[in-house]
Amino acid sequence: MDRKKRIISTQLAGLWSVLANERERSLLCADSYMRTYSKGEVVIDQGHPVQHIYILLSGKVKVVRNGISGQVHIARILGPKQFFGIRSFLAGMPMMAKVTAYEETVLLETPTGTLMELFEGNPRLGIFFLERLSIDIHHSEERILSLTQKHLRGRLADTLIMLVGQYGLAADGVTLNICPTRADLASLSNMTTHNAIRTLSSFAREQIVATTGRQIKIVNLRQLQHISEYGG
């Protein structure tokens, strides 16, 4: 087994398992390529045609959209095994957001034509992506409710809980496995950077979190969940 096939089969075991036979696996490996992006490098810009489906093998990417008056909003921060580009491709639309590397990131880039060929011969593969798109839509709807109906503390609590769920905690059991900037926390929580700093500081005073630079430790996850659910 060559290096690319070995990496894909281990890093993307869920996707690999729904490919029906060796021909499909060889096609995916032959037509896809792995590319490394440096922190801050643009993967694809908003409004560009979608020619590939991107799946993260390692690292993280930031998905941002330009809002009213040029305001930039972070829609998501994606990590390993997550993907992007497929919604715009299936909708026949240009890329709906700008995607940049949040840290050094390795992506598997599969031409859309190859993916369609695989879809046509393997309905299970289409279902695999539809299931994950459905989960993404559900999470997006939950985020919209949070950002439009909750106060600042509830919104920031939701963002921190989301980051715990998506990236987990370090070996110490409390430190987030991602170090977002305060501006990124603010954008994810639909608040100003000033309000994000002030709210995070209040969480620290209440010993719900502890911060060292950009590093955040979740000291009291239960209290964070209470704030998320009930406010306060």
Side-chain angles (χ1 to χ4, degrees):
M1 183 181 291
D2 64 29
R3 177 175 176 272
K4 186 198 297 185
K5 184 176 288 189
R6 183 173 63 254
I7 291 172
I8 295 172
S9 64
T10 54
Q11 297 290 91
L12 305 175
L15 171 63
W16 192 256
S17 67
V18 298
L19 295 173
N21 50 51
E22 190 58 31
R23 187 197 71 81
E24 291 185 354
R25 292 167 182 156
S26 296
L27 177 63
L28 177 70
C29 292
D31 288 3
S32 304
Y33 56 92
M34 296 184 297
R35 180 173 171 184
T36 301
Y37 291 84
S38 302
K39 180 180 178 179
E41 187 176 356
V42 176
V43 179
I44 184 170
D45 219 336
Q46 185 172 338
H48 282 207
V50 178
Q51 298 176 325
H52 297 86
I53 302 303
Y54 304 85
I55 307 176
L56 280 85
L57 296 174
S58 65
K60 301 176 184 70
V61 297
K62 180 164 62 175
V63 182
V64 300
R65 298 193 66 168
N66 293 322
I68 298 172
S69 302
Q71 184 179 7
V72 175
H73 172 70
I74 301 176
R76 294 179 292 166
I77 297 176
L78 303 179
K81 302 181 183 180
Q82 294 185 286
F83 58 88
F84 59 93
I86 193 166
R87 281 187 292 177
S88 296
F89 164 60
L90 292 177
M93 300 172 63
M95 189 64 187
M96 300 173 187
K98 178 180 180 179
V99 182
T100 60
Y102 199 72
E103 59 190 33
E104 184 172 282
T105 299
V106 180
L107 296 175
L108 181 74
E109 304 185 4
T110 302
T112 53
T114 300
L115 194 68
M116 281 304 299
E117 183 177 345
L118 290 169
F119 280 168
E120 289 168 0
N122 185 350
R124 288 182 61 210
L125 184 62
I127 293 171
F128 173 87
F129 280 102
L130 285 174
E131 286 175 344
R132 281 148 185 80
L133 283 173
S134 298
I135 292 170
D136 284 349
I137 291 170
H138 170 73
H139 288 161
S140 295
E141 289 173 346
E142 291 293 318
R143 291 286 295 160
I144 289 170
L145 285 174
S146 170
L147 297 178
T148 56
Q149 297 185 8
K150 293 185 179 181
H151 295 298
L152 297 179
R153 285 170 63 86
R155 278 184 259 158
L156 185 59
D158 276 1
T159 294
L160 293 173
I161 291 168
M162 176 193 70
L163 294 176
V164 171
Q166 191 162 353
Y167 302 108
L169 300 171
D172 62 6
V174 292
T175 304
L176 275 175
N177 270 329
I178 182 173
C179 296
T181 66
R182 300 299 185 260
D184 287 348
L185 280 178
S187 184
L188 286 166
S189 306
N190 193 29
M191 60 177 71
T192 65
T193 302
H194 172 74
N195 281 334
I197 293 171
R198 186 177 63 181
T199 306
L200 192 66
S201 296
S202 73
F203 285 175
R205 287 194 301 272
E206 296 164 33
Q207 298 185 339
I208 299 169
V209 304
T211 61
T212 304
R214 287 173 52 183
Q215 189 179 76
I216 299 174
K217 295 184 177 182
I218 308 300
V219 179
N220 192 335
L221 180 59
R222 182 172 296 180
Q223 182 61 21
L224 206 60
Q225 291 167 333
H226 180 85
I227 294 170
S228 168
E229 187 169 355
Y230 300 107

